[in-house]
Every structure is written in C-alpha cells, then in structure tokens.
Amino acid sequence: MIFTSPWGPLKNWPKRNGAQYMVDSPFRESLDRPAFIDAPTGEVITIREQRTAIRRLAARFQDEYDLKKDDVVLLFGFNTIHTHTIHMATLSVLAVVSPANIMYNASELAHQASVVQPKLVIAADNKLDIAREAIRHAKIDTTVVSYSQMQNEIRHLIHNPSAREQAPIDCDGTTQHAYYCFSSGTSGLPKGVITTHLNIASNIGQQVETNSGMIRELHVFGAVLPMSHIYGLNSFVWLSQYRQVTCVVFPSFDFEMLLQSIVKYRISMLALVPPIILLFAKHPLVAKYPDIKKYLKFVKSGAAPISSSTIDLASSRLGNLDITQGYGLTETSPVTHTTGWDEKGYDNSTVGWLVPSCEARLVDPDTGKDVGYNERGELWVRGPNIMAGYLKDEKSTKNTFSDDGEWFKTGDVAVVDKSGQFQIVDRIKELIKSKGHQVAPAELEAILLSHPKVSDAAVVGVRDEDGVTELPRAYAVLHADANPRDVLSWFNKKVSKHKRFWGGMVVVDAIPKSPSGKILRRFLRDKKEEPKNV
Ligand code: 4UV
C-alpha cells in the first residue's frame, strides 16, 4: 500500500542549479532586511549584501582557489553569518560542500576527508590544528584556510565593486552533486551521502508548499543547531533564506544566551532537538525571561523521538505556543514528514504528514509484506528529495534501497493512522542518536576492538533518565588481566565527546550473537537490569 501526501505532488521540481533556485525565490522581502545576525556580536549581513557576496565569492573561488565542477570544499566550522554565502558560492561554481561535525577529532575528520578528497578546507580558527592533522592522516594535498580569513575576504568583497561576479552556472540539478554530509545509514561507518541540487532544493519546495505556520509568517529564526548537520543546513542555510526571514546565528549552544537573544532579537521560530526542548520544559532559567513568551511563536522538534508530555510541558511554560515534530534523515535531504498549513487536527505525538511528492510504504521487516493503517512496519520512502546514493560505496547504496531501487529504506519503524499522520515507534537500524548527533556503533566497536586487551565488543544506545536522548553504552569482553578503567580512558581519548560511553561500559563474558555472527543489539538494548558500569 502506497501512502501519499495530502498536499499532492510538488508543483515545481527545481531541476537547475540550487543557488539559482534561491535567487529566484518568490518571497520578496526588502533586500535591506538582515539575512543573518550574529547573536553574540550583533554583526549583520543583509539580503542585498549576501547576494553580492555570493556572486563575488563564486568568482573568487574560481580565480583564486581554482575551484571547478565537482571539486569538494570541506567545511569544519561553527555557525557563522557567512556560512550561507560560502555554501551558495560553492554550489554556484558546481563544486560540492562537505560539512563536518565541529566536534570531530583528527581521525574522525580524516575519515571524511579521505572519502571526499577536498580541494579546499575551511576550518574554524581554533580547529585548524585538527584540520591539518586530519589532512596529513588522509594524505591529501589541499589548501586549508581559516574561517576568519574567509570571513574577512567576504567582508572585503561586499565593499569592492570592482570584484568580478559569477552567477550560478547552469547544470542538470537532477544529477549534479551539491552536498556530501556524513551518515552511517542503517549500519557500518559514516558514509558520504550524495545530495543533489534537486534533492535539497525540492525539499525546500516540499516544505514551502505545505504552507505551515513556520513558513507562512515572517518569522525571525534562531539558528542554534549546527549548519553542518542536515537539520540545521536545511532549516537555516536554505529554508530561512528562501523564505527571506532573518536568521539569528549562534556559533555554539549556550542556553542563557539563547534566552537573552530571543528577547533581544525577537526570535519567533526555533528548530530544536529534544534535549533543548527539555531545557525549555524544566530549566529554572526560563522563568527569568518571561518576555520570551511574547516573541516565541513556533518551535519544532526533530532528529530524535520526544514524548508528548515533554512537548506539552515545554509548550505550557512558553505560553501554549505550537511545538510540532518534524522527521527526516540526512539521506532524505531531510524532511519527509511535517505538519500542515494550519496544523488542524495535528497530533503532537506524531511527526505529521508526508510532504508533497514524498510517498511511503510500511513494510514488515520479517515478511517483506506491506502493512496498512495502524500496523507497524519499516518506513520506506521515495520522492525528489531522496539521495542519489552513498559516495564511492555501491554496496551500502544497494542495501539501503529496495531490490528494484525505487524505495529508500529508513531503518525506522512507523505507524500511520487514518488521518495520514505518521508516528515513529522504533528504530531497527544500528544508529544511536545522542543529543541529535549520529553515533555509529560499528565505528566505536572497531575502536574498542583495536585495544589489545579487548576480545569482543558491542555498542548500543540506552535512554537517559529524562528519556530525551540516547547515550552510547559498550558491552565488552576483556582479557583477564585488563583494567576496565584503563580501557575506558584509552577509548575516551580516541573519540569526540558525544561518542564516549556516557551510558557506561559493561564487562561481560560474551557478546550475544545470532548464528550468522550478527550482534543481537535488540537483546542488549532491551536488557532490563541495570548493568554494573565501569
Ligand atoms: O540522518 P539524521 O542525523 O537526520 C536527522 C534529521 C532530522 C530532521 C531534519 C529536518 C527537520 O525538519 C526535522 O524535523 C528533523 O536527524 O538521523 C536520522 C534519524 O534520526 C531519527 C530517525 O531514527 C532517523 O532515521 N529521527 C529524526 N527525526 C525524528 C527521529 C523524529 N522526529 N522522531 C524520531 N526519530
């Protein structure tokens, strides 16, 4: 049974350069409106300045950095008011943006760099050492520049009328690569997701054509989430600018600065992840800023499951504003489900309806047969926003699509009710979501197993006390003379902070496996007794 969007098909399939799609936005706010404001300093770039900067930076990328079609720019930075300019200038010249998680250490970044082979790396000033070490590890010959240098170049270009300008080069957006974000998909190590110009631009259209409250009103967006992850990338780099709303940028997460900034900049729309919604629900600081209720109108939660009770609690503390859920994956560019144009009948325990031109099936993973309304099945989707595949990884690409190549298998289990609203009820893939960040168990297991005193290991996600995030937990079989604490501190030095075993490390005699040798993750995840942590 194929489920379809209540909004029908997408009216406009943007098949050209995505940077041109942005310029052609039908929204016509004043060009003097701030496009981005830096929350800590108040620095502004207007829509007009940004448009000029994109054309001039595109030319500079060609002339000074020799960027050509299909070259890759690896971005290893915090959110800035110029991130959008860098993305659009790169896409304008048909080069590809590969954004990396700013929390990565050198070996994690080296993995991404060795897959995408960047021609240019732009790294945050305090991350240049990590970027250079990663490039050495990956044995790549590339140019590394700092964000402050790039930002100074952009500021200079805005005020240099003699600078050459390059408009977005026309291309076939259905095949031209735009992004390589990294996702572990259903299993294994993080892989480069090929997002085409059509994928990302159509996903903006798919949201705009639902005309949800988020888009209908002229909001001020708060960009708290990293623009290096598909959720922040889509919401702030793309949707906010297509809608021509002002976007207030937070280089890193600081809850009090967020609360202050909601009042200072009159932020009305926030796209968040469940642990931040929980702060709004429970943190005492919220009471210190009663005016946030005046400004905040719309909050979205996505990237991980959240309970209705947490949503309701946060909503009531914020003057009963709308908190809705969105759902998506890096591989789906990302939004496949959202709320409606007036949110009538919307149930906040669901992720809403399919977006235009996105179709779904629910398939019983055991029998391979489709299920109907109110039955659990793995969510399969298709539409213009589904990735072209994993970069240089045909096997993983093949495994993640149905045998006929038509349907993308999300690895999530969903239920749909008669109104067409989907609820995400389980995850059958290995992936752990820790505070909205992806953690790939296979990656952590491989690191643990490289310790000479670890003979077997499995990593699963466990829920934290508040139930708003998962934490990685290891089960390890150790040699008799191993000291578990030493193993753990050795491991912690090898991974970025969000991948540490915050859910503990449990020493066991054996890892439960299927006859074919697959780790029985569900058995470990469902273990009820509290294990003895190291
Ligand atoms: O690949 P990824 O890290 O991608 C994301 C994207 C989340 C977005 C993006 C845009 C939105 O507008 C939005 O509302 C949400 O997280 O991880 C994909 C996996 O995260 C889980 C699910 O297991 C996906 O396969 N996930 C994402 N959203 C939800 C979720 C949700 N609302 N409820 C439950 N799980």
Side-chain angles (χ1 to χ4, degrees):
M1 177 171 188
I2 295 179
F3 302 98
T4 56
S5 167
W7 296 286
L10 187 64
K11 293 184 190 73
N12 164 28
W13 282 50
K15 293 187 178 166
R16 297 176 58 198
N17 191 317
Q20 187 62 45
Y21 173 76
M22 293 295 278
V23 176
D24 294 340
S25 161
F27 294 100
R28 290 275 171 256
E29 306 304 338
S30 160
L31 292 182
D32 293 319
R33 191 178 162 84
F36 288 97
I37 305 175
D38 182 56
T41 64
E43 185 182 353
V44 166
I45 184 167
T46 64
I47 300 176
R48 188 191 308 279
E49 288 170 334
Q50 187 165 265
R51 290 195 166 187
T52 306
I54 291 167
R55 291 194 302 271
R56 293 180 185 168
L57 184 63
R60 191 168 166 79
F61 274 162
Q62 292 176 317
D63 301 341
E64 298 295 323
Y65 293 93
D66 194 30
L67 277 192
K68 299 199 173 62
K69 184 175 178 322
D70 300 331
D71 284 340
V72 176
V73 178
L74 180 68
L75 296 184
F76 187 46
F78 300 95
N79 290 350
T80 76
I81 60 168
H82 298 121
T83 305
H84 170 89
T85 300
I86 296 170
H87 281 229
M88 292 303 142
T90 307
L91 300 193
S92 292
V93 301
L94 305 181
V96 185
V97 176
S98 184
N101 187 330
I102 194 67
M103 295 196 294
Y104 274 176
N105 64 24
S107 66
E108 292 160 345
L109 188 63
H111 169 68
Q112 181 160 340
S114 64
V115 176
V116 304
Q117 298 281 313
K119 175 125 175 214
L120 172 64
V121 178
I122 307 174
D125 294 59
N126 62 355
K127 300 279 179 174
L128 279 170
D129 289 349
I130 294 181
R132 293 209 174 96
E133 199 186 328
I135 296 307
R136 258 197 316 279
H137 263 283
K139 301 191 176 65
I140 300 167
D141 183 23
T142 182
T143 308
V144 181
V145 300
S146 70
Y147 258 81
S148 61
Q149 180 187 329
M150 191 49 60
Q151 290 196 273
N152 282 337
E153 286 186 25
I154 292 170
R155 291 186 190 105
H156 187 251
L157 285 171
I158 291 171
H159 301 293
N160 180 9
S162 59
R164 189 174 80 77
E165 298 191 352
Q166 172 65 60
I169 298 171
D170 204 10
C171 65
D172 177 358
T174 63
T175 54
Q176 180 66 41
H177 299 184
Y179 288 102
Y180 301 138
C181 295
F182 271 61
S183 164
S184 62
T186 48
S187 63
L189 298 181
K191 295 171 269 292
V193 172
I194 303 172
T195 303
T196 64
H197 284 242
L198 170 73
N199 288 156
I200 185 77
S202 63
N203 200 239
I204 301 307
Q206 286 171 309
Q207 292 172 81
V208 169
E209 288 188 18
T210 66
N211 196 21
S212 77
M214 183 177 81
I215 291 144
R216 201 174 48 229
E217 290 160 38
L218 191 61
H219 283 293
V220 176
F221 278 31
V224 182
L225 302 180
M227 298 182 195
S228 56
H229 180 260
I230 194 74
Y231 188 4
L233 190 160
N234 181 291
S235 307
F236 312 128
V237 178
W238 282 77
L239 186 59
S240 75
Q241 299 311 292
Y242 188 78
R243 178 62 187 87
Q244 301 191 343
V245 304
T246 299
C247 194
V248 179
V249 174
F250 296 82
S252 56
F253 181 67
D254 171 337
F255 192 50
E256 183 142 30
M257 177 182 283
L258 173 60
L259 296 172
Q260 285 166 354
S261 300
I262 292 170
V263 179
K264 181 169 173 193
Y265 299 109
R266 304 182 170 211
I267 292 173
S268 54
M269 149 73 199
L270 288 171
L272 301 173
V273 290
I276 306 181
I277 308 269
L278 184 72
L279 291 178
F280 278 105
K282 297 208 168 154
H283 203 293
L285 266 178
V286 174
K288 236 178 94 183
Y289 296 90
D291 279 356
I292 60 176
K293 287 190 203 154
K294 265 206 263 178
Y295 301 115
L296 213 48
K297 295 280 180 297
F298 194 93
V299 172
K300 180 173 177 178
S301 174
I306 188 166
S307 67
S308 293
S309 57
T310 304
I311 290 183
D312 292 342
L313 199 57
S315 172
S316 68
R317 274 187 106 198
L318 294 171
N320 292 321
L321 59 65
D322 278 336
I323 300 183
T324 63
Q325 285 199 65
Y327 164 86
L329 302 89
T330 309
E331 288 84 345
T332 58
S333 312
V335 184
T336 60
H337 291 73
T338 192
T339 58
W341 53 78
D342 55 6
E343 291 92 36
K344 268 206 185 76
Y346 171 68
D347 170 358
N348 72 12
S349 71
T350 76
V351 295
W353 293 270
L354 283 160
V355 294
S357 281
C358 191
E359 296 179 316
R361 284 166 60 191
L362 292 175
V363 179
D364 183 327
D366 296 325
T367 63
K369 293 218 162 53
D370 283 43
V371 300
Y373 291 106
N374 300 315
E375 291 181 284
R376 294 160 76 102
E378 185 186 6
L379 176 64
W380 292 14
V381 287
R382 70 176 176 193
N385 52 319
I386 310 302
M387 66 161 182
Y390 293 115
L391 188 62
K392 301 171 192 163
D393 192 342
E394 268 177 45
K395 191 169 160 230
S396 302
T397 304
K398 200 165 173 293
N399 285 342
T400 203
F401 283 91
S402 57
D403 290 344
D404 60 5
E406 268 287 298
W407 297 88
F408 169 74
K409 305 195 259 185
T410 65
D412 291 310
V413 179
V415 174
V416 60
D417 65 21
K418 277 277 163 59
S419 76
Q421 296 182 83
F422 284 69
Q423 199 167 13
I424 307 299
V425 292
D426 198 3
R427 198 184 294 143
I428 49 176
K429 57 188 168 188
E430 292 174 5
L431 177 68
I432 299 168
K433 284 316 272 293
S434 182
K435 301 203 168 166
H437 295 285
Q438 286 207 1
V439 177
E443 182 187 350
L444 307 193
E445 286 157 6
I447 294 172
L448 253 190
L449 284 169
S450 73
H451 189 286
K453 293 192 172 165
V454 176
S455 50
D456 206 355
V459 175
V460 295
V462 290
R463 293 243 132 236
D464 75 335
E465 276 172 23
D466 292 313
V468 287
T469 189
E470 288 173 308
L471 304 170
R473 172 180 289 169
Y475 288 85
V477 182
L478 303 183
H479 292 197
D481 63 342
N483 178 338
R485 283 186 187 281
D486 291 348
V487 173
L488 201 55
S489 60
W490 170 90
F491 176 85
N492 285 344
K493 291 194 194 93
K494 301 243 168 222
V495 293
S496 46
K497 213 169 156 194
H498 66 291
K499 297 181 185 169
R500 291 185 189 162
F501 297 131
W502 298 107
M505 186 171 95
V506 186
V507 180
V508 289
D509 295 334
I511 300 294
K513 297 207 175 139
S514 71
S516 62
K518 268 187 107 170
I519 296 170
L520 294 174
R521 292 178 195 282
R522 175 165 300 273
F523 177 83
L524 291 171
R525 263 207 286 160
D526 293 347
K527 261 177 171 302
K528 288 284 176 280
E529 81 275 19
E530 200 41 44
K532 224 169 76 224
N533 289 353
V534 171

